[in-house]
Amino acid sequence: MARPVASDSEQFIRTSGIKDPVWVHGDPFSKRPEFHPLTEDTETDVCIIGAGISGISLAYELITRGREVVILEARDVLAGETGRTSGHLSNALDDMYPEIAKKHGESGAQAAGESHTWALNRIGEIANQLNIDCEYRHLPAYRISQYQRGTEEWKKDIEEIKEDVELAKKLGIDAIFDEKLTVKGWDGKIDQRGGAIFHKQATFHPTKYLNGVLRWLKEQPKFRCYTFTRAMGIKEKGIEVLGLGHKYVEVETEAGNTIQCEHAIETTNVPLQKLSIVAQMEWYRTYCIAIRVPKGSVDDILLYDTADPYKYVRITPCDENDDYMVIGGEDHKVGQEDPWGHFEELERWARERFTGAKSVAFQWSGQIFEPVDYMAYIGKNQGNNCIYVVTGDSGNGLTHGVVASKLLADEIEGKENSWASLYSPKRLGSVIKSAPAMIQNDLQVNMQYKRLLQSDIQDIEDLAPGCGGVLNSKMSKPIAVYKDENGDVSKMSALCPHMGGVVCWNPVEKSWDCPVHGSRFGETGLAIQGPAKANLAKA
């Protein structure tokens, strides 16, 4: 198999962290469909950059509408955040409908509910049509207070949950409030009873589903996928004035090949560009554990509390004796907080409430991009007519990715879509309402450049095997140094190729994380998360 950087760990070719997610239990990396790099110039109707749920769902939708599609992926398929999700499919949006309505009006909140409802059901329809065994099922979602029942904080929280339910019902969502809501298996002393029930939610095994869709796509004559093919430039070309002339897009790869297309879509979690939309989001690491519980002992539901960051829980099969209970949360800004201790906190939270919990089988982390006005950016990129983006998952990346498949396929075909204005990357009203949050985030981002004057280590000898750190002599540019388990040392520029932030060593995932705009790199510099397009330069 071709490798873009021979010295990088194979792990970072297939996923975005050193720790494996629970999904490899039933669907190992070796089961992914195999594709090969692009080795020549080519043309297509639509070029999609990124082979996660957004890109694969878009390809399916466009192929079924008769379009010719090429997917480019810098690493292996499903190597990004889709493979590190917790697998929730829900219209019980975490920002809650009253808050969404404040930014987008009730019509915007209704479009949000309708689009996510369509998306969670669409996955089930496709799985059924293609006969994909991916554990897809409908189930309820519960939202409970983070506080002990009966406290003043609990009462205030419950009122907000009731308001969310009332507006959700008004918008046509099947939701109720249950004062005595309990969760089977929650037998610990902490009492958080009472909360919302959102019916007709769903869950599935994300990589089993997407590998199944990819296998179907691979058989279609108008579909091609090129892995280990990193897109480095996406440019609109040609001239179109008053409907006369023709614009098209040229995508250039790291190897120097070009793809000429009518439309290009960036489904790379975050656009590979300097600022614009990137400056309208915040970027977080989020953590998950999968802990064994006796089979059937815990309700098969989606569970959320109201903490900030909130906890999220679901069940997935393990073996004939046990299920895995997947618990997530503990979010923090990328590169701006110590990554140690978050798995332990999730385990503590789970054991205090579910005393039947057994051993922790998997621990992993992922990354989310939070838009300032809660809604993803799906549509034509700012300043473009033929280049589209899908970004700002806001913790609902799976359904947002599927929403994008319909929304962008309609836009490419010139069909009206009632969701388009809500998700438009060119929207202004809701972003202006969020200006104070944007300013605060910008100030925090600029503070991260203080690392230009800081050094993590004073000497390479300070590093233990399997560790990394930034060496800044102040006489030259900072260097990112990694010492592998055998004591061999790799040296790279510590400056993120996106906008020159100094990366931080993430000991949990053995990655280099940029605190400025959230780019991430493998232990020896392979780019694994945008907005940076390029690897860390060798020092």
Side-chain angles (χ1 to χ4, degrees), residues 270-274 278 369 498 517-520 529-534:
V270 61
L272 306 177
Q273 61 192 43
K274 290 296 182 184
V278 177
F369 285 78
H498 178 236
H517 292 109
S519 298
R520 297 181 62 241
Q529 168 69 62
K533 292 183 282 190

Side-chain angles (χ1 to χ4, degrees), residues 200-458:
K200 301 175 184 176
Q201 310 300 293
T203 192
F204 69 149
H205 189 299
T207 61
K208 282 184 178 180
Y209 168 73
L210 290 164
N211 281 328
V213 177
L214 276 171
R215 291 186 189 99
W216 179 86
L217 284 169
K218 195 173 182 179
E219 297 174 354
Q220 307 310 306
K222 290 188 175 183
F223 175 78
R224 289 172 286 159
C225 179
Y226 300 104
T227 49
F228 309 115
T229 303
R230 186 177 295 276
M232 297 298 289
I234 307 168
K235 296 180 181 178
E236 284 190 356
K237 296 200 169 185
I239 298 173
E240 183 176 350
V241 179
L242 300 176
L244 300 175
H246 178 231
K247 276 197 169 186
Y248 63 96
V249 182
E250 188 172 272
V251 180
E252 185 175 354
T253 72
E254 187 178 39
N257 299 120
T258 60
I259 301 93
Q260 185 173 312
C261 54
E262 296 298 306
H263 310 273
I265 307 171
E266 292 188 68
T267 60
T268 49
N269 195 24
V270 61
L272 306 177
Q273 61 192 43
K274 290 296 182 184
L275 286 176
S276 187
I277 290 174
V278 177
Q280 297 172 17
M281 296 188 288
E282 299 178 10
W283 30 93
Y284 293 87
R285 298 302 296 162
T286 188
Y287 297 81
C288 282
I289 64 171
I291 191 168
R292 285 176 175 262
V293 293
K295 185 166 287 294
S297 66
V298 176
D299 272 336
D300 187 19
I301 59 171
L302 308 179
L303 177 65
Y304 312 103
D305 70 12
T306 57
D308 186 14
Y310 65 95
K311 302 294 191 299
Y312 46 95
V313 183
R314 62 156 290 185
I315 296 293
T316 194
C318 172
D319 56 30
E320 60 183 14
N321 297 316
D322 292 330
D323 292 320
Y324 288 126
M325 183 167 63
V326 177
I327 306 107
E330 291 291 297
D331 306 4
H332 66 79
K333 289 284 187 71
V334 177
Q336 298 182 31
E337 187 175 311
D338 187 347
W340 289 117
H342 298 289
F343 297 132
E344 292 78 5
E345 174 59 24
L346 291 173
E347 182 180 354
R348 182 199 64 78
W349 184 92
R351 292 192 186 283
E352 284 181 349
R353 291 156 177 80
F354 299 90
T355 64
K358 300 180 181 180
S359 60
V360 174
F362 292 89
Q363 301 174 331
W364 74 100
S365 63
Q367 188 145 319
I368 56 175
F369 285 78
E370 188 71 41
V372 292
D373 63 355
Y374 313 138
M375 291 293 105
Y377 298 101
I378 304 170
K380 290 179 180 178
N381 201 2
Q382 296 173 5
N384 294 123
N385 290 317
C386 306
I387 300 173
Y388 307 76
V389 295
V390 182
T391 190
D393 50 61
S394 188
N396 299 100
L398 296 174
T399 43
H400 269 140
V402 180
V403 167
S405 69
K406 177 173 175 56
L407 212 166
L408 295 188
D410 285 350
E411 189 159 8
I412 286 170
E413 294 195 333
K415 295 180 178 178
E416 287 191 11
N417 187 304
S418 60
W419 311 332
S421 60
L422 174 68
Y423 293 109
S424 172
K426 301 179 182 181
R427 64 185 185 258
L428 291 175
S430 57
V431 174
I432 291 171
K433 291 178 184 178
S434 307
M438 287 180 61
I439 293 170
Q440 183 179 4
N441 184 54
D442 288 344
L443 291 172
Q444 189 177 36
V445 164
N446 289 329
M447 287 177 61
Q448 304 312 311
Y449 284 103
K450 65 188 178 184
R451 279 187 55 78
L452 287 165
L453 303 175
Q454 298 174 344
S455 188
D456 301 333
I457 58 174
Q458 301 306 313

Side-chain angles (χ1 to χ4, degrees), residues 9 11-12 15-20 84 507-510 523:
S9 165
Q11 180 74 356
F12 288 101
T15 189
S16 296
I18 207 70
K19 293 182 175 293
D20 287 340
R84 304 182 73 80
V508 168
E509 294 290 5
K510 289 195 173 183
E523 54 198 355

